[in-house]
Amino acid sequence: MKTLVFLALGVLASVGGAWGFDGYTDTALLPGDKWHVHDPARPKPPKVDPGPSPKKPVPAPPGAVVLFDGKSLTSWKNPGWKLEGGAMIAAKGEQKSLAEFGDCHVHVEWSEPVEIKGQGQGRGNSGVFLMGIFEVQVLDSFGTETYADGQAASLYGQSPPRVNATRKPGDWNVYDIYFRAPRSADGKVTEPAKITVIHNGFIVQNNVTLLGPTQHKNLASYNGGLPAKGPIALQDHGNPVRFRNIWVVPLDLSE
């Protein structure tokens, strides 16, 4: 009987939120840390008040590549996403930009649906991917609890945001992401990617070194070299998350 109980507990620990809690204890430890990937015991970031939702989109600066201005999906590969009220709505698979970027400043505004269902990672889940492989999480962290490295503005599976600055569903959230692409030579990564994230005016990730392309339940790592550039990708996780006003400023962060 004890064996069955321990086996049952092990199954519960591995499946997480389906049993009323969210997270995993059977995953790898993060380097130099005591926390597992998606550890439910890892402290959650404190909530802060980011103020009201912006009334208007933030204008793109000179030199920016405007990927989405609310009028068409011509800069994107997936025509299956809905275009509605100046926003594109996640649906029918991942969305990727036609243009590719290395070092860059990415501006994205996103909003959770007002009528939202589910809990934990099932609540308004999406993500913004740099080079199509490094994820900044999108989630309704205003109204749900989940593992710290899966919160909105987390570097998914690695680094929780310093604070939870998420606005309520229906309001617009703003990400400004400063990304230094990984450097590769001779078939391997010689310098890892680095990223800074500003969420609704709060610096929540400050020049964090990325362990590798984003993984779920696995420790991220670099396996072989990577291209110098890649697309901006938006995740479809079965939730009708809205996106608007997406632009990118190419940068040179070699120094």
Side-chain angles (χ1 to χ4, degrees):
M1 180 62 71
K2 289 183 178 179
T3 301
L4 290 175
V5 170
F6 287 131
L7 285 173
L9 288 173
V11 171
L12 288 175
S14 66
V15 299
W19 295 91
F21 62 93
D22 219 14
Y24 305 88
T25 57
D26 58 351
T27 52
L29 287 170
L30 289 159
D33 212 329
K34 64 179 180 180
W35 306 115
H36 293 265
V37 175
H38 312 322
D39 198 322
R42 193 173 188 175
K44 309 298 188 293
K47 288 189 175 183
V48 295
D49 182 4
S53 179
K55 294 182 179 179
K56 294 182 180 180
V58 177
V65 178
V66 177
L67 294 179
F68 182 64
D69 61 3
K71 298 176 182 178
S72 76
L73 299 177
T74 55
S75 295
W76 301 86
K77 294 184 178 181
N78 186 349
W81 283 37
K82 290 180 61 178
L83 186 61
E84 184 178 284
M88 62 173 166
I89 304 173
K92 299 180 181 178
E94 184 181 48
Q95 184 66 281
K96 286 185 177 182
S97 66
L98 294 172
E100 295 190 343
F101 305 91
D103 299 351
C104 60
H105 166 200
V106 181
H107 179 94
V108 179
E109 299 176 24
W110 58 272
S111 176
E112 297 289 346
V114 174
E115 293 185 8
I116 189 169
K117 299 179 182 180
Q119 295 297 326
Q121 291 294 302
R123 192 174 174 91
N125 196 326
S126 184
V128 179
F129 285 78
L130 290 302
M131 292 180 62
I133 55 176
F134 300 102
E135 182 183 14
V136 179
Q137 173 75 317
V138 168
L139 194 77
D140 173 32
S141 289
F142 182 89
T144 193
E145 292 292 335
T146 189
Y147 42 85
D149 64 18
Q151 299 267 326
S154 67
L155 307 179
Y156 186 78
Q158 178 180 339
S159 175
R162 296 172 68 184
V163 295
N164 177 359
T166 311
R167 295 189 172 104
K168 69 180 185 297
D171 285 356
W172 287 98
N173 290 274
V174 180
Y175 280 171
D176 282 288
I177 302 167
Y178 296 85
F179 176 71
R180 186 181 189 274
R183 271 50 174 175
S184 296
D186 300 323
K188 63 181 181 180
V189 170
T190 56
E191 296 180 50
K194 293 189 175 185
I195 193 167
T196 293
V197 180
I198 302 175
H199 182 198
N200 292 335
F202 291 86
I203 299 174
V204 295
Q205 308 283 353
N206 187 15
N207 200 34
V208 176
T209 298
L210 289 160
L211 299 174
T214 299
Q215 299 286 326
H216 173 61
K217 290 188 69 178
N218 291 311
L219 187 64
S221 63
Y222 295 100
N223 297 308
L226 290 171
K229 297 181 179 182
I232 304 301
L234 307 174
Q235 186 181 48
D236 170 32
H237 210 284
N239 303 123
V241 179
R242 294 182 297 156
F243 293 90
R244 74 176 187 186
N245 191 32
I246 304 174
W247 44 262
V248 181
V249 179
L251 301 173
D252 181 0
L253 300 178
S254 297
E255 297 297 327

